[in-house]
Amino acid sequence: MKRVFLLLSAAAFMWVNAFGQSRVEESFNADWQFYKAQNRTFFTSFENGQSYKEAEGQWTVPEVWEKVDLPHTFNRDDMQRDRNFFEGKAVYQKKFFAAANQQGRRTFLKFEGVGAVAQLYINQQYIGEHKGAYSMFVFEISNSIDYAKENILTVITDNQSRKDVLPTDQFLFPVYGGIYRPVALITTAKTGFVVTDDASPGVFIRQQEVSEKSATVKVLAKLETKEKVAQQVELIAEVYDDQGKVVQHSRKPVLVTPQGSLHVETTLSIDNPHLWDGVRDPYLYKLRTRLMKGDLELDCTEQPLGLRTIELVAGDGVFLNGKRYPMYGVARHQDRWGFGSAFSFAQHKEDFMLMKEMGVTTVRLAHYQQASATYSLADSLGFLVWAEIPFVNRVSFTESYNAKQQLRELVKQQYNHPSIYIWGVHNEVYSKTADGLVPVLSRELHDLAKTLDPDRLTGAVTGYSQIDRQENLTTDVQGINHYFGWYGGEIGDLKPWAEKAQRDFPSYRIILSEYGADGNMDIGQEKVVKPKNVVTGDYFPENYQTETHIQQWAAIEKNPIIIASYVWNMFEFAVPAWNRGGVNARNLKGLITFDRQRRKDSFYWYKANWNPEPMLYLANRRDNEREEAVTRIQLFSNQPKVSIAVNGERYEAKQGVNSKHWVVEQVKLRKGVNIIKATSTDGEKSLTDEMTWTLK
């Protein structure tokens, strides 16, 4: 489809759709201006939706705006350094011209994420408000645009914590302020798929009776018209394979009336389908749904189509398309040093490719709806996704409406992604009895998710190791966040806990939704010793994190009651309220540093276990200042035979906690620098690794 643009200034543009009818979605990210409120009273006049015009004389317009492109957050520095960060309102503004020949069409603005409350104005007139930092939202502006002169779009953002908007505080992770995800300008004909249905695609794909022999797909399309008379149109649904060939299609005549919206279903059957099989074979079809009036295309949408079945069997595991599927899981925050939550697509992709390198097969996108691009990346790479809303950490007793809104938005916006297998309704929120707010609200959220999506499971997460807490028996799956050996107990406590869960709750679907320990790469020590205080301490050696993951993964893989597990976390992330482990405002549990530049020993431990590509890695290389002349060396490898040479003297490595863990005991070091070389072979390919230790 051809598009013609006329640039008018750095802050204004005109768009023209040469095709004239079908949907056009254009980037609206360039040439914004921004300023941050230094006095919140500037903005009090906008409370409760008071018009911009009424408030105009009550706030100060800055003489100098800061020019920015989106995505943008004004907290990318302060929230990553300490608790003294700005939390409040800021103004974003963009000027643009609308082409006169677009006046008969419909125009929308789609925001992928604004932290955390957004108020929208066009030409000083209030359009609407959205509450929630992590879900998309759409406003129609067709009737507010001036086609004869320059238009001014103003967005007032506010990331001040509120009791009625999830998350209700910024204790566990920062809610970055600003328009930190992309914005798009959408234009459509007057008749088309509904755009304003919680920013959903207007087309929903439900899979039924999927097997290697056949697949039945039910497509629900939501249609509307703003024409004055009913429109006779044709709904066309086409399934394309990955080579662009149409493998199935349907055509259905539809009469769309000007009143309300019309929900239309059509069914497609595919013989001998190519299944979406996770990382084993993430094959994707494409569903193109079009609305035609004669030869004229009025609207068109494209959605991913991955045909699969998923079953979670208590005490046994996860089965994708009837075959056991390895659940090698990590959690991921959308947070990065120097950028905050304002990621480019390239940065999202880098995160997912790092996961792929490590051998990840499933990811928990915590603790909120992440950028739409992340779910698409998971589709294409074959990762199963746990998706969730930010009902996390604290209960305010006024968040119920917003919790339901955010879950409704999450499910409807991401419904068509085959990678998503579970909807998470809460994380570490509690009530004293089963009659309290959390159990009751969780049941309501479960029911809402099932109403919107009967085919996927729901999950709720506790921070206790107790399986049958009242808050968590309201969903299909029980998630356990527990840091054995970190916030209490010993590293080895995970194994007996899992064995007891197998005896006491054999029919429960249990996922270890978080586990791990902090580790500072810049703190090395010879012996593995638990930090004295994991809440206020400033000394978190990396080797304790390494030992935690070595022992606990070995226990997880031997205990099938844990049908899936998620390392907390793939990457370090900001926690403004913390000052722990030698780095301020940082959660150090990540396997990779906040800037994505360094991989910790634990990363290579999981790579040896999860990625079949031959690898060899000497551990504890940063614990290089030694005091004991006779010591132990460990390394990670998925090869059948491993040996180590220390200063030329050869040692045969023996397997440790599992077949990927290799150890050599009674290694003799000499004073000064010791050169340690590891070698492995699988009969065809030899691998080597090297490090140095210094004996004082």
PDB file of all heavy atoms in Angstrom, residues 485-505:
ATOM      1  N   GLY A 485      17.009 -20.569  51.077  1.00  0.00           N
ATOM      2  CA  GLY A 485      18.400 -20.250  51.345  1.00  0.00           C
ATOM      3  C   GLY A 485      18.748 -18.788  51.200  1.00  0.00           C
ATOM      4  O   GLY A 485      19.899 -18.408  51.447  1.00  0.00           O
ATOM      5  N   TRP A 486      17.776 -17.957  50.835  1.00  0.00           N
ATOM      6  CA  TRP A 486      18.065 -16.525  50.713  1.00  0.00           C
ATOM      7  C   TRP A 486      17.301 -15.735  51.773  1.00  0.00           C
ATOM      8  O   TRP A 486      17.895 -15.199  52.705  1.00  0.00           O
ATOM      9  CB  TRP A 486      17.731 -16.023  49.307  1.00  0.00           C
ATOM     10  CG  TRP A 486      18.175 -14.598  49.078  1.00  0.00           C
ATOM     11  CD1 TRP A 486      17.387 -13.509  48.935  1.00  0.00           C
ATOM     12  CD2 TRP A 486      19.523 -14.121  49.003  1.00  0.00           C
ATOM     13  NE1 TRP A 486      18.143 -12.373  48.773  1.00  0.00           N
ATOM     14  CE2 TRP A 486      19.469 -12.731  48.809  1.00  0.00           C
ATOM     15  CE3 TRP A 486      20.769 -14.741  49.081  1.00  0.00           C
ATOM     16  CZ2 TRP A 486      20.609 -11.939  48.690  1.00  0.00           C
ATOM     17  CZ3 TRP A 486      21.919 -13.957  48.958  1.00  0.00           C
ATOM     18  CH2 TRP A 486      21.836 -12.571  48.768  1.00  0.00           C
ATOM     19  N   TYR A 487      15.989 -15.689  51.661  1.00  0.00           N
ATOM     20  CA  TYR A 487      15.209 -14.972  52.677  1.00  0.00           C
ATOM     21  C   TYR A 487      14.921 -15.846  53.897  1.00  0.00           C
ATOM     22  O   TYR A 487      14.230 -15.410  54.821  1.00  0.00           O
ATOM     23  CB  TYR A 487      13.905 -14.451  52.069  1.00  0.00           C
ATOM     24  CG  TYR A 487      14.120 -13.376  51.022  1.00  0.00           C
ATOM     25  CD1 TYR A 487      13.716 -13.565  49.713  1.00  0.00           C
ATOM     26  CD2 TYR A 487      14.745 -12.182  51.352  1.00  0.00           C
ATOM     27  CE1 TYR A 487      13.916 -12.586  48.748  1.00  0.00           C
ATOM     28  CE2 TYR A 487      14.954 -11.192  50.399  1.00  0.00           C
ATOM     29  CZ  TYR A 487      14.541 -11.398  49.102  1.00  0.00           C
ATOM     30  OH  TYR A 487      14.747 -10.423  48.149  1.00  0.00           O
ATOM     31  N   GLY A 488      15.444 -17.045  53.898  1.00  0.00           N
ATOM     32  CA  GLY A 488      15.277 -17.939  55.034  1.00  0.00           C
ATOM     33  C   GLY A 488      15.686 -19.350  54.663  1.00  0.00           C
ATOM     34  O   GLY A 488      15.687 -19.729  53.486  1.00  0.00           O
ATOM     35  N   GLY A 489      16.064 -20.152  55.673  1.00  0.00           N
ATOM     36  CA  GLY A 489      16.399 -21.544  55.441  1.00  0.00           C
ATOM     37  C   GLY A 489      17.726 -21.727  54.742  1.00  0.00           C
ATOM     38  O   GLY A 489      18.603 -20.851  54.746  1.00  0.00           O
ATOM     39  N   GLU A 490      17.871 -22.900  54.110  1.00  0.00           N
ATOM     40  CA  GLU A 490      19.106 -23.267  53.438  1.00  0.00           C
ATOM     41  C   GLU A 490      18.842 -23.526  51.962  1.00  0.00           C
ATOM     42  O   GLU A 490      17.719 -23.826  51.551  1.00  0.00           O
ATOM     43  CB  GLU A 490      19.713 -24.521  54.082  1.00  0.00           C
ATOM     44  CG  GLU A 490      19.975 -24.397  55.574  1.00  0.00           C
ATOM     45  CD  GLU A 490      20.998 -23.323  55.911  1.00  0.00           C
ATOM     46  OE1 GLU A 490      21.903 -23.094  55.071  1.00  0.00           O
ATOM     47  OE2 GLU A 490      20.875 -22.707  56.989  1.00  0.00           O
ATOM     48  N   ILE A 491      19.898 -23.446  51.155  1.00  0.00           N
ATOM     49  CA  ILE A 491      19.765 -23.687  49.719  1.00  0.00           C
ATOM     50  C   ILE A 491      19.129 -25.049  49.453  1.00  0.00           C
ATOM     51  O   ILE A 491      18.272 -25.201  48.586  1.00  0.00           O
ATOM     52  CB  ILE A 491      21.141 -23.596  49.028  1.00  0.00           C
ATOM     53  CG1 ILE A 491      21.672 -22.162  49.073  1.00  0.00           C
ATOM     54  CG2 ILE A 491      21.046 -24.084  47.590  1.00  0.00           C
ATOM     55  CD1 ILE A 491      23.095 -22.017  48.551  1.00  0.00           C
ATOM     56  N   GLY A 492      19.531 -26.038  50.211  1.00  0.00           N
ATOM     57  CA  GLY A 492      19.059 -27.399  49.992  1.00  0.00           C
ATOM     58  C   GLY A 492      17.640 -27.670  50.426  1.00  0.00           C
ATOM     59  O   GLY A 492      17.129 -28.787  50.217  1.00  0.00           O
ATOM     60  N   ASP A 493      16.954 -26.681  51.000  1.00  0.00           N
ATOM     61  CA  ASP A 493      15.582 -26.901  51.480  1.00  0.00           C
ATOM     62  C   ASP A 493      14.573 -27.087  50.349  1.00  0.00           C
ATOM     63  O   ASP A 493      13.466 -27.585  50.588  1.00  0.00           O
ATOM     64  CB  ASP A 493      15.140 -25.726  52.361  1.00  0.00           C
ATOM     65  CG  ASP A 493      15.880 -25.675  53.694  1.00  0.00           C
ATOM     66  OD1 ASP A 493      16.515 -26.685  54.046  1.00  0.00           O
ATOM     67  OD2 ASP A 493      15.825 -24.631  54.361  1.00  0.00           O
ATOM     68  N   LEU A 494      14.930 -26.693  49.135  1.00  0.00           N
ATOM     69  CA  LEU A 494      13.985 -26.826  48.036  1.00  0.00           C
ATOM     70  C   LEU A 494      13.637 -28.299  47.784  1.00  0.00           C
ATOM     71  O   LEU A 494      12.470 -28.631  47.558  1.00  0.00           O
ATOM     72  CB  LEU A 494      14.555 -26.185  46.760  1.00  0.00           C
ATOM     73  CG  LEU A 494      13.597 -25.996  45.583  1.00  0.00           C
ATOM     74  CD1 LEU A 494      14.072 -24.866  44.687  1.00  0.00           C
ATOM     75  CD2 LEU A 494      13.426 -27.251  44.736  1.00  0.00           C
ATOM     76  N   LYS A 495      14.620 -29.167  47.841  1.00  0.00           N
ATOM     77  CA  LYS A 495      14.393 -30.583  47.531  1.00  0.00           C
ATOM     78  C   LYS A 495      13.383 -31.226  48.490  1.00  0.00           C
ATOM     79  O   LYS A 495      12.391 -31.798  48.030  1.00  0.00           O
ATOM     80  CB  LYS A 495      15.715 -31.339  47.545  1.00  0.00           C
ATOM     81  CG  LYS A 495      15.608 -32.827  47.221  1.00  0.00           C
ATOM     82  CD  LYS A 495      17.001 -33.452  47.177  1.00  0.00           C
ATOM     83  CE  LYS A 495      16.923 -34.937  46.834  1.00  0.00           C
ATOM     84  NZ  LYS A 495      16.335 -35.719  47.945  1.00  0.00           N
ATOM     85  N   PRO A 496      13.567 -31.149  49.804  1.00  0.00           N
ATOM     86  CA  PRO A 496      12.556 -31.760  50.689  1.00  0.00           C
ATOM     87  C   PRO A 496      11.203 -31.075  50.602  1.00  0.00           C
ATOM     88  O   PRO A 496      10.167 -31.731  50.790  1.00  0.00           O
ATOM     89  CB  PRO A 496      13.170 -31.631  52.088  1.00  0.00           C
ATOM     90  CG  PRO A 496      14.240 -30.608  51.968  1.00  0.00           C
ATOM     91  CD  PRO A 496      14.741 -30.677  50.573  1.00  0.00           C
ATOM     92  N   TRP A 497      11.183 -29.778  50.324  1.00  0.00           N
ATOM     93  CA  TRP A 497       9.893 -29.100  50.137  1.00  0.00           C
ATOM     94  C   TRP A 497       9.143 -29.693  48.951  1.00  0.00           C
ATOM     95  O   TRP A 497       7.937 -29.974  49.034  1.00  0.00           O
ATOM     96  CB  TRP A 497      10.115 -27.600  49.919  1.00  0.00           C
ATOM     97  CG  TRP A 497       8.866 -26.888  49.488  1.00  0.00           C
ATOM     98  CD1 TRP A 497       7.854 -26.429  50.283  1.00  0.00           C
ATOM     99  CD2 TRP A 497       8.458 -26.598  48.136  1.00  0.00           C
ATOM    100  NE1 TRP A 497       6.862 -25.864  49.523  1.00  0.00           N
ATOM    101  CE2 TRP A 497       7.203 -25.948  48.202  1.00  0.00           C
ATOM    102  CE3 TRP A 497       9.043 -26.810  46.892  1.00  0.00           C
ATOM    103  CZ2 TRP A 497       6.529 -25.522  47.062  1.00  0.00           C
ATOM    104  CZ3 TRP A 497       8.370 -26.389  45.757  1.00  0.00           C
ATOM    105  CH2 TRP A 497       7.127 -25.753  45.847  1.00  0.00           C
ATOM    106  N   ALA A 498       9.833 -29.895  47.838  1.00  0.00           N
ATOM    107  CA  ALA A 498       9.191 -30.461  46.651  1.00  0.00           C
ATOM    108  C   ALA A 498       8.723 -31.889  46.908  1.00  0.00           C
ATOM    109  O   ALA A 498       7.633 -32.292  46.468  1.00  0.00           O
ATOM    110  CB  ALA A 498      10.158 -30.417  45.470  1.00  0.00           C
ATOM    111  N   GLU A 499       9.508 -32.660  47.619  1.00  0.00           N
ATOM    112  CA  GLU A 499       9.126 -34.047  47.919  1.00  0.00           C
ATOM    113  C   GLU A 499       7.888 -34.086  48.804  1.00  0.00           C
ATOM    114  O   GLU A 499       6.999 -34.926  48.615  1.00  0.00           O
ATOM    115  CB  GLU A 499      10.301 -34.764  48.582  1.00  0.00           C
ATOM    116  CG  GLU A 499      11.473 -34.982  47.628  1.00  0.00           C
ATOM    117  CD  GLU A 499      12.717 -35.477  48.333  1.00  0.00           C
ATOM    118  OE1 GLU A 499      12.771 -35.381  49.590  1.00  0.00           O
ATOM    119  OE2 GLU A 499      13.648 -35.937  47.653  1.00  0.00           O
ATOM    120  N   LYS A 500       7.803 -33.166  49.757  1.00  0.00           N
ATOM    121  CA  LYS A 500       6.620 -33.098  50.618  1.00  0.00           C
ATOM    122  C   LYS A 500       5.393 -32.651  49.816  1.00  0.00           C
ATOM    123  O   LYS A 500       4.284 -33.168  50.013  1.00  0.00           O
ATOM    124  CB  LYS A 500       6.863 -32.136  51.782  1.00  0.00           C
ATOM    125  CG  LYS A 500       5.742 -32.130  52.826  1.00  0.00           C
ATOM    126  CD  LYS A 500       6.110 -31.239  54.003  1.00  0.00           C
ATOM    127  CE  LYS A 500       5.087 -31.358  55.129  1.00  0.00           C
ATOM    128  NZ  LYS A 500       3.726 -30.997  54.713  1.00  0.00           N
ATOM    129  N   ALA A 501       5.580 -31.697  48.905  1.00  0.00           N
ATOM    130  CA  ALA A 501       4.469 -31.262  48.066  1.00  0.00           C
ATOM    131  C   ALA A 501       3.952 -32.417  47.214  1.00  0.00           C
ATOM    132  O   ALA A 501       2.741 -32.556  47.003  1.00  0.00           O
ATOM    133  CB  ALA A 501       4.908 -30.102  47.180  1.00  0.00           C
ATOM    134  N   GLN A 502       4.846 -33.252  46.746  1.00  0.00           N
ATOM    135  CA  GLN A 502       4.440 -34.414  45.950  1.00  0.00           C
ATOM    136  C   GLN A 502       3.585 -35.377  46.783  1.00  0.00           C
ATOM    137  O   GLN A 502       2.592 -35.917  46.296  1.00  0.00           O
ATOM    138  CB  GLN A 502       5.681 -35.136  45.424  1.00  0.00           C
ATOM    139  CG  GLN A 502       5.392 -36.378  44.601  1.00  0.00           C
ATOM    140  CD  GLN A 502       4.760 -36.038  43.256  1.00  0.00           C
ATOM    141  OE1 GLN A 502       5.377 -35.428  42.404  1.00  0.00           O
ATOM    142  NE2 GLN A 502       3.507 -36.443  43.073  1.00  0.00           N
ATOM    143  N   ARG A 503       3.955 -35.551  48.043  1.00  0.00           N
ATOM    144  CA  ARG A 503       3.184 -36.447  48.916  1.00  0.00           C
ATOM    145  C   ARG A 503       1.841 -35.854  49.306  1.00  0.00           C
ATOM    146  O   ARG A 503       0.809 -36.545  49.303  1.00  0.00           O
ATOM    147  CB  ARG A 503       3.991 -36.761  50.187  1.00  0.00           C
ATOM    148  CG  ARG A 503       5.242 -37.592  49.962  1.00  0.00           C
ATOM    149  CD  ARG A 503       5.808 -38.067  51.293  1.00  0.00           C
ATOM    150  NE  ARG A 503       6.123 -36.973  52.204  1.00  0.00           N
ATOM    151  CZ  ARG A 503       7.305 -36.364  52.267  1.00  0.00           C
ATOM    152  NH1 ARG A 503       8.293 -36.741  51.454  1.00  0.00           N
ATOM    153  NH2 ARG A 503       7.515 -35.386  53.134  1.00  0.00           N
ATOM    154  N   ASP A 504       1.834 -34.561  49.639  1.00  0.00           N
ATOM    155  CA  ASP A 504       0.637 -33.942  50.209  1.00  0.00           C
ATOM    156  C   ASP A 504      -0.335 -33.401  49.167  1.00  0.00           C
ATOM    157  O   ASP A 504      -1.540 -33.320  49.427  1.00  0.00           O
ATOM    158  CB  ASP A 504       1.046 -32.801  51.152  1.00  0.00           C
ATOM    159  CG  ASP A 504       1.838 -33.292  52.362  1.00  0.00           C
ATOM    160  OD1 ASP A 504       1.850 -34.519  52.592  1.00  0.00           O
ATOM    161  OD2 ASP A 504       2.436 -32.450  53.049  1.00  0.00           O
ATOM    162  N   PHE A 505       0.179 -32.994  47.985  1.00  0.00           N
ATOM    163  CA  PHE A 505      -0.667 -32.335  46.984  1.00  0.00           C
ATOM    164  C   PHE A 505      -0.415 -32.911  45.590  1.00  0.00           C
ATOM    165  O   PHE A 505      -0.098 -32.178  44.650  1.00  0.00           O
ATOM    166  CB  PHE A 505      -0.399 -30.822  46.984  1.00  0.00           C
ATOM    167  CG  PHE A 505      -0.629 -30.152  48.307  1.00  0.00           C
ATOM    168  CD1 PHE A 505       0.443 -29.906  49.170  1.00  0.00           C
ATOM    169  CD2 PHE A 505      -1.900 -29.779  48.699  1.00  0.00           C
ATOM    170  CE1 PHE A 505       0.239 -29.290  50.395  1.00  0.00           C
ATOM    171  CE2 PHE A 505      -2.113 -29.158  49.919  1.00  0.00           C
ATOM    172  CZ  PHE A 505      -1.047 -28.920  50.776  1.00  0.00           C
TER     173      PHE A 505
END
